[in-house]
């Protein structure tokens, strides 16, 4: 007998309506055997025993998703036990406890690496379907409790690298700083402690359970989890507030996109409390100020000093990959040049060789499927149109060049 998760029954009002098809003659059978009126109880028993989460249609949302945030906050704060939380989420208690305290890291996450633009590797930990389902619910829950500051542009709806860069247009100085190992420095004890205090004020059993469900076997926030972005923003909220106040005092503007911190100003010179240029005999790296570093370190983070740079208005100023020297955003020339070269290679050599060259020179993923490669190219062109507008002549020329490429090439 084989148990396989399937979609909930149509018309079901339950957010977590268990619908596990039971096959009596092996995987792939088209004639599932039902258990009559006892079927719901059988399904529940199987789900609790095998710790299988049903596959839910993407359009379904939790019943509490539309509850006003203030009433939702009061409700979630009143939950005093794991049983209360499981009932609120409409999930089995055994399911939550299994993933939080008993499952091994090897069975919970699929670990792999992707190559960064600088050639280094980035570890990605993708949760299995069952844990991913729970972490999505955690994301929904915490997103209704977390109110992002105006300085935060990463992992926030209606904000992006573009809105982040627009904040720093046409400034005399732009400082870029990068938080070192952003997700890895956010550990389980820190998450639990943060969720217990204002403004979240979750009960200890609830905070502990969420802390264990959101972290991997090493007790760190994994890259690849659906709930990691909102938790990262929650953990950095205090730092954002303090840096915003410091910059306001020094007549600067501060924003953060994930682990990228940007501070700009028209003041002359750039405030030394935040950063200064090194002396002639000193290091070539920008020297960050004590006031700035104290806030970062007091909030449990560290700066990757190799990525810090202070840019004058007479040099090219980059913010989250975009040029911000003038009153309008623009892309670096290298972006356009590489995109033109990619389309030229595709047209003359074929998509496979073009994808291989892109992988070798730009450290981008190596595509083995033509459709994915085509979507990638069109995505880069559409990003250009987002910056310059849909009628941008450069994007139109690239689209015209794509139309000349045969469908089988």
């Amino acid at each position: 007998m084989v148990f396989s998760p399937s979609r909930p029954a149509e018309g079901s009002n339950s957010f977590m309506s268990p619908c596990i098809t039971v096959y009596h003659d092996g995987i792939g059978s088209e004639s599932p055997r039902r258990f009559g009126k006892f079927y719901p109880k059988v399904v529940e028993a199987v789900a609790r025993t095998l710790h299988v989460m049903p596959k839910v249609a993407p359009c379904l949302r939790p019943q509490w998703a539309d509850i006003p945030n203030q009433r939702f906050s009061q409700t979630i704060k009143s939950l005093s036990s794991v049983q209360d939380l499981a009932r609120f989420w409409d999930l089995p208690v055994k399911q939550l406890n299994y993933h939080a305290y008993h499952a091994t890291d090897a069975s919970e996450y699929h670990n792999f690496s992707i190559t960064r633009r600088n050639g280094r590797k980035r570890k990605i930990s993708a949760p299995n379907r069952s844990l991913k389902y729970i972490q999505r619910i955690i994301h929904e829950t915490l997103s209704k409790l977390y109110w992002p500051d105006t300085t935060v542009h990463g992992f926030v709806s209606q904000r992006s690298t573009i809105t982040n860069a627009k904040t720093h247009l046409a400034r005399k100085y732009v400082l870029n700083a990068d938080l070192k190992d952003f997700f890895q420095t956010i550990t389980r004890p820190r998450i639990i402690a943060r969720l217990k205090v204002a403004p979240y004020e979750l009960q200890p059993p609830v905070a502990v359970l969420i802390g264990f469900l959101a972290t991997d076997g090493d007790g760190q926030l994994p890259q690849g989890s659906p709930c990691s972005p909102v938790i990262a923003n929650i953990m950095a909220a205090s730092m954002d507030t303090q840096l915003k106040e410091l910059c306001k005092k020094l007549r600067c503007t501060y924003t953060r996109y994930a682990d990228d911190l940007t501070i700009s100003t028209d003041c002359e010179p750039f405030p030394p409390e935040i950063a200064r240029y090194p002396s002639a005999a000193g290091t070539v790296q920008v020297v960050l100020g004590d006031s700035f570093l104290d806030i970062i370190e007091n909030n449990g983070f560290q700066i990757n000093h190799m990525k810090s740079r202070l840019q004058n208005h007479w040099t090219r100023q980059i913010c989250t990959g975009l040029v911000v020297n003038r009153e309008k955003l623009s892309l670096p020339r290298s972006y356009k040049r590489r995109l033109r070269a990619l389309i030229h290679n595709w047209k003359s050599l074929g998509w496979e060789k073009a994808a291989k060259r892109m992988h070798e020179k730009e450290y981008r993923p190596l595509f083995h499927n033509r459709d994915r490669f085509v979507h990638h190219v069109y995505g880069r062109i559409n990003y250009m149109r987002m910056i310059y507008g849909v009628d941008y002549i450069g994007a139109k020329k690239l689209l015209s060049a794509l139309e000349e490429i045969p469908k089988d090439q």
Side-chain angles (χ1 to χ4, degrees):
M1 184 177 291
V2 178
F3 300 94
S4 174
S6 62
R7 291 183 182 273
E10 263 188 53
S12 172
N13 293 323
S14 173
F15 164 57
M16 228 273 322
S17 174
C19 189
I20 297 180
T21 304
V22 184
Y23 297 99
H24 66 282
D25 54 349
I27 299 176
S29 170
E30 297 181 357
S31 56
R33 182 176 65 186
R34 303 289 182 172
F35 286 81
K37 65 180 181 179
F38 301 106
Y39 176 68
K41 293 185 178 180
V42 172
V43 167
E44 184 178 1
V46 171
R48 291 174 182 272
T49 303
L50 299 182
H51 312 291
V52 175
M53 297 301 295
K55 183 178 181 181
V56 178
C59 59
L60 295 181
R61 300 181 67 218
Q63 292 179 346
W64 40 261
D66 297 323
I67 298 177
N69 288 351
Q70 186 175 1
R71 187 157 64 92
F72 178 86
S73 178
Q74 295 173 352
T75 302
I76 200 71
K77 291 177 182 179
S78 66
L79 304 179
S80 59
S81 65
V82 174
Q83 289 74 17
D84 291 342
L85 182 63
R87 195 177 302 111
F88 180 74
W89 281 348
D90 198 11
L91 296 176
V93 175
K94 289 185 178 180
Q95 181 77 25
L96 297 177
N97 286 332
Y98 170 77
H99 285 293
Y101 308 118
H102 303 296
T104 61
D105 200 33
S107 64
E108 294 286 83
Y109 291 95
H110 168 59
N111 298 315
F112 60 94
S113 297
I114 60 175
T115 305
R116 301 183 186 182
R117 299 294 297 275
N118 58 10
R120 297 182 180 179
K121 298 290 186 180
R122 183 192 300 276
K123 179 185 176 183
I124 302 295
S125 298
N128 61 36
R129 186 176 63 180
S130 177
L131 179 59
K132 186 177 183 179
Y133 183 88
I134 297 175
Q135 290 176 343
R136 281 177 174 167
I137 296 179
I138 295 176
H139 168 80
E140 290 280 350
T141 302
L142 297 181
S143 293
K144 292 180 74 67
L145 299 176
Y146 169 70
W147 290 86
D149 191 85
T150 55
T151 61
V152 181
H153 292 261
F155 316 129
V156 177
S157 178
Q158 305 300 320
R159 302 183 197 176
S160 63
T161 57
I162 297 176
T163 60
N164 182 71
K166 282 183 177 180
T167 311
H168 306 281
L169 285 172
R171 297 297 181 92
K172 285 187 177 180
Y173 294 97
V174 176
L175 171 70
N176 293 329
D178 186 86
L179 296 178
K180 185 178 180 180
D181 299 328
F182 183 43
F183 279 30
Q184 288 78 4
T185 55
I186 300 176
T187 59
R188 185 181 299 149
R190 291 182 60 189
I191 296 172
I192 295 173
R194 187 70 187 93
L195 294 179
K196 288 181 182 178
V197 299
Y200 310 103
E201 298 176 331
L202 301 184
Q203 298 296 325
V206 175
V208 170
L209 181 67
I210 291 178
F212 272 86
L213 289 171
T215 52
D216 58 19
D218 297 325
Q220 299 174 343
L221 201 62
Q223 293 193 59
S225 165
C227 63
S228 290
V230 65
I231 292 178
N233 277 343
I234 287 174
M235 299 305 300
S238 177
M239 178 191 70
D240 292 331
T241 302
Q242 295 174 35
L243 287 177
K244 180 182 178 180
E245 293 175 354
L246 174 66
C247 290
K248 184 178 180 180
K249 177 182 176 183
L250 299 173
R251 299 169 59 193
C252 298
T253 302
Y254 162 77
T255 62
R256 178 177 63 84
Y257 185 89
D259 58 350
D260 293 327
L261 313 181
T262 306
I263 298 176
S264 63
T265 185
D266 286 327
C267 295
E268 185 72 48
F270 193 86
E273 295 89 342
I274 299 177
R276 61 179 175 82
Y277 285 111
S279 61
T283 174
V284 296
Q285 292 295 327
V286 61
V287 179
L288 298 177
D290 292 337
S291 299
F292 177 76
L293 288 176
D294 286 344
I295 293 176
I296 301 294
E297 293 171 359
N298 290 340
N299 283 277
F301 297 103
Q302 292 182 337
I303 289 290
N304 185 350
H305 291 275
M306 296 300 295
K307 291 187 177 181
S308 301
R309 59 184 185 272
L310 182 58
Q311 304 160 112
N312 292 304
H313 63 90
W314 59 80
T315 62
R316 189 181 68 168
Q317 297 171 325
I318 296 290
C319 176
T320 50
L322 297 170
V323 181
V324 295
N325 288 74
R326 300 181 179 181
E327 296 292 340
K328 291 185 178 181
L329 294 176
S330 61
L331 287 165
R333 292 180 181 178
S334 59
Y335 183 95
K336 304 175 186 177
R337 184 174 62 251
R338 288 172 178 173
L339 185 53
R340 286 195 299 266
L342 175 61
I343 295 176
H344 173 75
N345 291 334
W346 182 7
K347 190 174 181 179
S348 58
L349 303 175
W351 75 268
E352 290 181 323
K353 291 185 178 179
K356 186 176 180 181
R357 285 197 177 186
M358 178 185 68
H359 171 70
E360 294 173 348
K361 293 186 177 182
E362 301 183 37
Y363 296 106
R364 292 185 181 270
L366 179 60
F367 294 99
H368 299 283
N369 181 282
R370 186 183 187 276
D371 290 339
R372 291 189 177 183
F373 175 74
V374 171
H375 292 159
H376 172 81
V377 176
Y378 275 97
R380 291 173 70 171
I381 296 176
N382 287 331
Y383 182 66
M384 181 184 293
R385 297 172 73 189
M386 287 177 60
I387 304 299
Y388 296 106
V390 293
D391 296 326
Y392 177 57
I393 187 65
K396 287 185 176 181
K397 289 181 179 179
L398 295 177
L399 290 173
S400 299
L402 289 180
E403 292 177 358
E404 299 175 1
I405 300 177
K407 299 295 182 181
D408 57 346
Q409 185 170 333

